[in-house]
Amino acid sequence: MLNEKVAALLNDQVNKEFYSAYLYLDFSNYFEARGLDGFANWYKIQAQEERDHAMLFYQYLHNNCAKVTLGTITKPDKVLDSDMTVLKAGLEHEMYVTDLINNIYAAAHEVKDFRTMQFLDWFVKEQGEEETNASDLISKMELFGSDPKGLYMLNSELSGRVYSAPSLTL
């Protein structure tokens, strides 16, 4: 049986992950409107990953006989006024999610909930990768984004990203 505080944090994370998906769809919309289909693709795939993350938390709660309460997903409120603003908002958001995961991990550690800590290990690693990917995207944009040919090449690179479901087993 899950500790009440840990279960509440996990349940809240379900909603946070769905919000992340919604946010990344908003980013994808921004890039679609700019004609940057590769960037739009990259963020659509990010949205798919976030939905999968939400479902992993959802299933973990059910597997541990905890009730899941779905909350309201708020509309993203970021002002998307430049390509770099979007990319930096993505990194900022990933750092926020890392903090959320770390807080759940700390709460699980506090009550010696080793099963939840083991479950969260995958997310800790995943967040490291997410922050690196977001940071790398910013670096590439800084290097190539101001040059139309460079932006074209970067957009082409991002259009090649394909979705792969997470390999976490519950």
Side-chain angles (χ1 to χ4, degrees), residues 11 14-15 18 54-55 58 67-73:
N11 192 85
V14 171
N15 294 301
F18 279 127
M55 293 307 296
Y58 173 91
K67 182 180 178 187
V68 176
T69 304
L70 299 175
T72 301
I73 301 172

Side-chain angles (χ1 to χ4, degrees), residues 30 54 57 59 69 82 104 112 116 124 128 131 134 136 153 167:
Y30 168 84
F57 281 103
Q59 192 60 55
T69 304
S82 74
I104 302 168
K112 297 183 180 179
T116 298
V124 170
E131 286 185 24
D136 288 350
M153 295 291 288
S167 59

Side-chain angles (χ1 to χ4, degrees), residues 15-167:
N15 294 301
K16 301 281 189 193
E17 296 291 341
F18 279 127
Y19 172 80
S20 296
Y22 205 47
L23 178 67
Y24 289 140
L25 282 177
D26 196 34
F27 291 2
S28 181
N29 279 336
Y30 168 84
F31 285 114
E32 285 283 353
R34 290 260 300 119
L36 294 169
D37 60 334
F39 283 85
N41 175 64
W42 199 88
Y43 280 109
K44 278 184 214 166
I45 290 172
Q46 280 299 110
Q48 288 176 299
E49 286 185 2
E50 302 305 336
R51 284 191 308 264
D52 281 350
H53 296 170
M55 293 307 296
L56 288 169
F57 281 103
Y58 173 91
Q59 192 60 55
Y60 183 79
L61 285 161
H62 278 289
N63 289 352
N64 287 278
C65 302
K67 182 180 178 187
V68 176
T69 304
L70 299 175
T72 301
I73 301 172
T74 58
K75 180 182 178 193
D77 63 354
K78 297 282 184 196
V79 176
L80 308 178
D81 56 6
S82 74
D83 299 345
M84 189 58 80
T85 299
V86 176
L87 301 182
K88 287 183 178 181
L91 175 58
E92 179 184 306
H93 185 72
E94 289 302 337
M95 292 167 63
Y96 167 71
V97 173
T98 297
D99 285 343
L100 293 170
I101 300 294
N102 289 342
N103 288 337
I104 302 168
Y105 200 101
H109 183 266
E110 186 177 307
V111 296
K112 297 183 180 179
D113 181 351
F114 302 113
R115 182 176 17 181
T116 298
M117 290 165 55
Q118 184 178 26
F119 167 71
L120 291 171
D121 283 342
W122 183 87
F123 288 96
V124 170
K125 181 177 180 264
E126 175 72 5
Q127 280 310 119
E129 291 172 9
E130 295 288 9
E131 286 185 24
T132 297
N133 290 340
S135 181
D136 288 350
L137 204 48
I138 291 168
S139 295
K140 288 178 181 179
M141 182 61 94
E142 288 172 342
L143 287 170
F144 310 116
S146 62
D147 172 55
K149 291 177 188 168
L151 183 60
Y152 176 81
M153 295 291 288
L154 183 53
N155 187 63
S156 295
E157 176 187 323
L158 297 178
S159 69
R161 184 179 185 198
V162 294
Y163 175 72
S164 70
S167 59

